[in-house]
Amino acid sequence: MNIAFISDIHGNATALEAVLDDIKQQDIDKIVVLGDLCFRGPEPKKSLDLIRNLDVPVIKGNADAWVTRGIQDGEVPEKVIGMMREEKDWTVQQLTEDDISYLENLPEHVTETIGEKKVYGFHATPDSLFDVVTPDTSDEDLKKAIMEKEEADIYLYGHIHKPYVRHIDGKIVANLGSVGLPFDGEAKASYLIVSENSTSIRKVSYDIDHAVQKLEDYGYPQGGLVADVYHTGKL
């Protein structure tokens, strides 16, 4: 049993299509999606449709919550909240009422079994869509933030857009990175494959110039900022 876990697409359908094509080349039995499907990219509707057409488990991310109920005070720095609300409003305009309802009703956790191993997935932490757990977090803090709520062998999350795999007390904690908006300094789409014997990150090249052109074609607010992330892999 091999499962591909993807997350943080952020409306970058060009990167998502490249990842889905790469998954087809692997020995994959199932795909699971850990949130952040539409917001902050040029093709929210196409990205959402691609995911919904897969008919696979999908959970909610913080950006999905922003699309459905708005960005609340204190959730992002005050200096950028106006800009991000403009992006949110643009994103909502591209979606249907059914799309919004779909995002609103997504669950916040997913459990999978691979052989004898239990995999527990969530977007940021088991208790929050917004908390940030970075790759350099200490083992003790990582256990408190990630591993205490649910007993599992493998814990997976997205949100931070920085992929890593850690081994702690015989268990695994891993971040998937981001399909559509990487922050790890590598301008590639990232996802993760879990099998009975391995947990590994995959990086996929995609047509960044095409994705940037989509930002321009559709008049995405703050398109220059997003294009810079596409090119550099940094926020």
Side-chain angles (χ1 to χ4, degrees):
M1 182 73 167
N2 301 312
I3 301 180
F5 290 85
I6 68 175
S7 74
D8 296 275
I9 297 151
H10 291 284
N12 187 346
T14 304
L16 176 58
E17 288 177 318
V19 164
L20 294 177
D21 286 344
D22 189 75
I23 287 172
K24 291 176 183 177
Q25 309 306 314
Q26 313 305 314
D27 183 20
I28 299 299
D29 301 293
K30 187 175 185 177
I31 298 172
V32 177
V33 186
L34 300 190
D36 279 7
L37 311 182
C38 301
F39 175 77
R40 193 154 256 197
E43 296 186 280
K45 174 63 174 172
K46 182 176 180 180
S47 298
L48 181 56
D49 287 347
L50 285 167
I51 292 299
R52 295 185 71 174
N53 289 336
L54 293 174
D55 192 24
V56 301
V58 182
I59 65 171
K60 184 184 294 185
N62 65 295
D64 305 312
W66 282 341
V67 169
T68 63
R69 53 81 158 159
I71 302 171
Q72 298 177 0
D73 291 341
E75 290 180 341
V76 300
E78 185 65 28
K79 65 182 179 180
V80 301
I81 195 167
M83 173 187 79
M84 293 184 69
R85 283 173 172 165
E86 181 186 9
E87 293 177 77
K88 188 276 296 184
D89 290 343
W90 183 92
T91 300
V92 169
Q93 290 170 9
Q94 315 308 311
L95 302 176
T96 66
E97 290 185 7
D98 180 67
D99 293 333
I100 300 297
S101 177
Y102 172 82
L103 293 173
E104 187 173 17
N105 290 292
L106 288 173
E108 294 187 7
H109 309 88
V110 63
T111 301
E112 297 289 338
T113 301
I114 301 177
E116 298 181 355
K117 296 179 179 179
K118 178 180 176 180
V119 182
Y120 183 47
F122 39 89
H123 183 68
T125 72
D127 297 312
S128 170
L129 297 177
F130 296 91
D131 287 347
V132 174
V133 180
T134 59
D136 58 355
T137 300
S138 70
D139 285 359
E140 286 304 312
D141 287 343
L142 200 60
K143 286 191 285 186
K144 290 177 182 178
I146 298 293
M147 303 171 71
E148 289 188 348
K149 184 170 183 177
E150 184 87 7
E151 184 65 31
D153 301 289
I154 302 171
Y155 298 83
L156 302 180
Y157 71 109
H159 190 50
I160 63 171
H161 301 206
K162 295 181 178 181
Y164 72 88
V165 178
R166 293 262 296 273
H167 297 263
I168 301 173
D169 296 342
K171 299 185 177 185
I172 292 173
V173 177
N175 188 274
L176 282 52
S178 173
V179 169
L181 207 61
F183 293 168
D184 63 338
E186 190 170 0
K188 293 183 178 181
S190 174
Y191 73 101
L192 184 138
I193 297 175
V194 179
S195 66
E196 292 187 43
N197 299 312
S198 67
T199 299
S200 58
I201 301 292
R202 280 193 65 81
K203 295 291 190 74
V204 180
S205 298
Y206 71 96
D207 190 343
I208 292 173
D209 290 337
H210 181 74
V212 169
Q213 187 62 50
K214 292 294 183 183
L215 291 166
E216 297 177 5
D217 291 345
Y218 297 129
Y220 185 78
Q222 311 304 325
L225 182 153
V226 177
D228 188 57
V229 177
Y230 289 173
H231 282 298
T232 66
K234 296 179 181 180
L235 181 61

